[in-house]
Amino acid sequence: MTKLLGRALMIGIALIGVTSCGSKTNIRSVKATDAHDAYYVGDVFDDLNEITVIATTNNWDKITISSDEYSYTLYDFSNVVIDTSKPFEAVGNYTLAVSYKTYDIKAITISVLGSQQSKEKADYTIMIYMCGSNLESKYNLATANLREIVSIEYPNNVNVIIETGGANKWSSKYGIRASKLSRYHVENNNLVLDNILNDASMGESSTLQSFIEWGLNYYPANKVGFIFWNHGGGMDGVCYDERHDMDMLTNAEVHTAFANAFTSTNTTEKLEWVGYDACLMSVADVAEFNSQYFNYMVSSQELEPGDGWDYDGWLDNLAENPQIETETLLQEICDTYIEKCGGDASYNDGQLSVLDLSNVNSFLSAWESMASSLTTYINSQHDWYNFTSEIITECHAFGYDEISDTYCDVFDVQDFIYAMGNSVNYGTIDVSSIETALNDLVIYNSCGPAIQGVCGLSFFCGIDGYVYQNSYTSSNTNFTNWHNLNSSYGRSEEH
């Protein structure tokens, strides 16, 4: 941007009851600062669309709204309306060229403040929190998924809304700017801009909360599916923002964002489902936190390939049948993903499962009871090492890292149950109630040939991880007995 010299002069322009044509933005007011000490904000003119401007001041000679493509001039300010054919599409910063009767000012920067009109309640809203990170800046993988998403013809009773950010660079395909957070809806096979926001970390709870509130307020629906798109790290977090030092959302921050958003929007009923298009997020602690806000969860125990879910594969079915049963839709997400990962190919280690979160409390209770008995035994025998070597090493570990030659401290629950039940030393500790609760919790599990046998749900145990020794804290889990055991013996921040 080019700095314009001089001192600031505040100029007021009132926009009274103005609604943009063909847009969802109800423009309420404009604040303008003249060119003296202002910055020319040329990069925002991509946002010009349709607007009607009412100017109430009469001490100017003319005002011109201009960009590379458009230029509109008004000369009479005696309560005159500026009616342009290409007005602003969204709230944000724009540039006016202003000439006084007495002297000229080359440019002023204005900030358009607006409020969005809520849509009528739809059958379905899909909310996608798309933190592009290096998946986009290096490989354009977020853009690839956006192509899939906009390829579908959605009926009026299905909303698909997206917030983008978190990447140092975006493909030019949709005009997404890396320096801003942007909000879109999909309409007529196009990505339509709703709002542009100042840059903020998508790994911050407040950023997530704001998107949740916006979606619930302006795109209400009978059913809401919420998707986290980005890297995942199980108990380490999700949505790593490369513009902000790879800041990520912890389990606790996700919990806070939804709790606050539910309160501010007066949302009292749970949303239908949450999905993690991210690695390693099918962890019991994550599921338990989400059970307070969602009925179902779809997520992977294992690493996901960078191109993620097959969006057109399942969104097409939703568009054709917005009344589709939730479990049927989530199973389609799983199956289309496994097919995208390679189908029946022997190398396919894709895994995705559906959890019925109404049953997570039974699993929590059973696991915590086991953890209490196990803690008593380990304390008396001082044998954490024997426990991990005899039990945990028998469990399938996820998230292998070639550089460190270690896994991510998340392991398969069914393998744990089997190892405990067949152990000479630990076989007296009851795990049968865990198995019963697990079978009720995991209602669908789709796996590629290379990863057959995993159950669809993981647990944390701090023995070998390259990430997690600083992640399994009391604020990130309600599995208190298990956390305390790991905190006493395993690798965790509180050990």
Side-chain angles (χ1 to χ4, degrees):
M1 296 183 291
T2 303
K3 179 78 179 285
L4 300 174
L5 302 177
R7 58 201 177 104
L9 171 68
M10 297 306 297
I11 303 172
I13 306 174
L15 303 181
I16 305 172
V18 182
T19 303
S20 62
C21 305
S23 169
K24 294 182 177 62
T25 304
N26 177 28
I27 304 298
R28 296 183 302 182
S29 63
V30 165
K31 294 181 179 179
T33 305
D34 79 341
H36 305 299
D37 281 347
Y39 287 88
Y40 188 83
V41 189
D43 66 334
V44 298
F45 284 118
D46 290 339
D47 305 322
L48 287 170
N49 195 2
E50 293 185 343
I51 197 174
T52 300
V53 179
I54 300 175
T56 58
T57 183
N58 59 9
N59 61 344
W60 296 331
D61 187 349
K62 64 180 179 179
I63 281 185
T64 300
I65 303 176
S66 62
S67 73
D68 292 339
E69 296 183 60
Y70 314 122
S71 180
Y72 314 110
T73 302
L74 181 72
Y75 294 92
D76 184 0
F77 286 86
S78 301
N79 232 4
V80 177
V81 173
I82 307 171
D83 189 3
T84 68
S85 60
K86 294 287 186 180
F88 303 104
E89 181 179 15
V91 300
N93 294 322
Y94 302 87
T95 299
L96 290 176
V98 176
S99 174
Y100 279 98
K101 295 177 181 179
T102 54
Y103 64 93
D104 290 340
I105 296 177
K106 291 187 177 180
I108 65 174
T109 299
I110 66 173
S111 298
V112 180
L113 309 177
S115 61
Q116 193 172 1
Q117 296 175 344
S118 297
K119 290 189 67 176
E120 292 185 3
K121 196 169 188 179
D123 287 326
Y124 234 111
T125 291
I126 302 296
M127 302 177 64
I128 305 175
Y129 192 69
M130 183 171 278
C131 180
S133 196
N134 59 348
L135 293 174
E136 173 63 22
S137 62
K138 290 186 177 181
Y139 311 108
N140 294 333
L141 292 172
T143 296
N145 279 165
L146 287 173
R147 288 175 185 267
E148 296 177 0
I149 292 165
V150 302
S151 70
I152 305 301
E153 293 278 357
Y154 300 100
N156 291 332
N157 57 346
V158 174
N159 303 314
V160 178
I161 61 175
I162 304 156
E163 177 158 311
T164 62
N168 288 332
K169 180 182 177 182
W170 284 80
S171 163
S172 61
K173 170 66 178 176
Y174 297 107
I176 298 171
R177 291 199 294 275
S179 61
K180 301 289 184 180
L181 296 177
S182 301
R183 290 173 179 169
Y184 301 88
H185 71 278
V186 180
E187 185 176 339
N188 297 325
N189 301 115
N190 291 305
L191 199 60
V192 180
L193 182 67
D194 285 89
N195 294 115
I196 297 176
L197 307 174
N198 290 332
D199 186 32
S201 172
M202 295 190 79
E204 283 291 332
S205 181
S206 58
T207 307
L208 173 60
Q209 177 185 334
S210 177
F211 176 60
I212 300 166
E213 291 169 339
W214 174 73
L216 295 181
N217 281 327
Y218 298 115
Y219 291 92
N222 295 322
K223 290 183 178 181
V224 174
F226 191 100
I227 298 172
F228 291 95
W229 190 104
N230 183 244
H231 294 296
M235 292 309 300
D236 195 45
V238 69
C239 292
Y240 294 71
D241 189 318
E242 72 170 350
R243 292 181 55 82
H244 297 273
D245 299 321
M246 299 305 280
D247 182 30
M248 72 288 192
L249 289 164
T250 65
N251 207 21
E253 287 177 314
V254 171
H255 168 66
T256 298
F258 277 100
N260 291 342
F262 270 43
T263 299
S264 66
T265 60
N266 295 316
T267 300
T268 56
E269 295 184 1
K270 294 179 181 180
L271 307 183
E272 190 66 0
W273 57 270
V274 59
Y276 288 89
D277 190 0
C279 300
L280 303 166
M281 297 306 296
S282 194
V283 183
D285 311 76
V286 176
E288 194 278 328
F289 266 39
N290 278 313
S291 69
Q292 300 172 62
Y293 311 107
F294 297 95
N295 294 319
Y296 297 89
M297 176 169 137
V298 56
S299 50
S300 177
Q301 289 180 273
E302 189 52 282
L303 301 174
E304 285 194 1
D307 52 355
W309 292 1
D310 183 19
Y311 283 89
D312 49 356
W314 61 272
L315 281 171
D316 186 49
N317 293 327
L318 175 62
E320 290 180 357
N321 180 20
Q323 284 77 40
I324 188 171
E325 291 292 331
T326 299
E327 292 182 14
T328 300
L329 178 65
L330 299 186
Q331 289 175 19
E332 289 180 355
I333 292 176
C334 294
D335 291 343
T336 55
Y337 167 74
I338 297 304
E339 188 64 28
K340 185 177 183 179
C341 289
D344 294 331
S346 59
Y347 61 79
N348 182 1
D349 62 353
Q351 183 279 329
L352 210 59
S353 50
V354 180
L355 309 182
D356 181 349
L357 297 180
S358 67
N359 295 316
V360 79
N361 284 337
S362 296
F363 182 87
L364 171 66
S365 177
W367 191 272
E368 284 287 86
S369 177
M370 175 277 299
S372 177
S373 299
L374 181 61
T375 299
T376 300
Y377 183 87
I378 289 177
N379 285 344
S380 66
Q381 302 296 319
H382 305 287
D383 73 340
W384 173 260
Y385 174 79
N386 289 333
F387 165 70
T388 57
S389 61
E390 181 180 344
I391 302 297
I392 302 302
T393 57
E394 294 298 311
C395 302
H396 187 109
F398 299 96
Y400 178 70
D401 178 66
E402 293 181 356
I403 296 176
S404 63
D405 191 30
T406 57
Y407 290 84
C408 288
D409 280 351
V410 283
F411 305 89
D412 188 72
V413 170
Q414 185 63 62
D415 285 351
F416 177 85
I417 294 169
Y418 182 83
M420 288 285 287
N422 288 279
S423 169
V424 174
N425 294 316
Y426 305 99
T428 58
I429 297 175
D430 179 42
V431 291
S432 61
S433 58
I434 297 177
E435 186 164 30
T436 299
L438 174 67
N439 291 334
D440 292 336
L441 177 57
V442 180
I443 60 172
Y444 194 74
N445 182 28
S446 191
C447 303
I451 196 172
Q452 292 292 321
V454 299
C455 72
L457 185 68
S458 302
F459 68 96
F460 170 88
C461 189
I463 63 168
D464 189 39
Y466 56 82
V467 182
Y468 295 109
Q469 56 258 39
N470 296 320
S471 305
Y472 201 61
T473 64
S474 56
S475 63
N476 282 327
T477 181
N478 285 326
F479 285 77
T480 305
N481 294 338
W482 185 252
H483 163 264
N484 291 341
L485 179 60
N486 274 271
S487 209
S488 298
Y489 295 101
R491 299 171 63 185
S492 73
E493 184 180 75
E494 295 161 322
H495 173 45

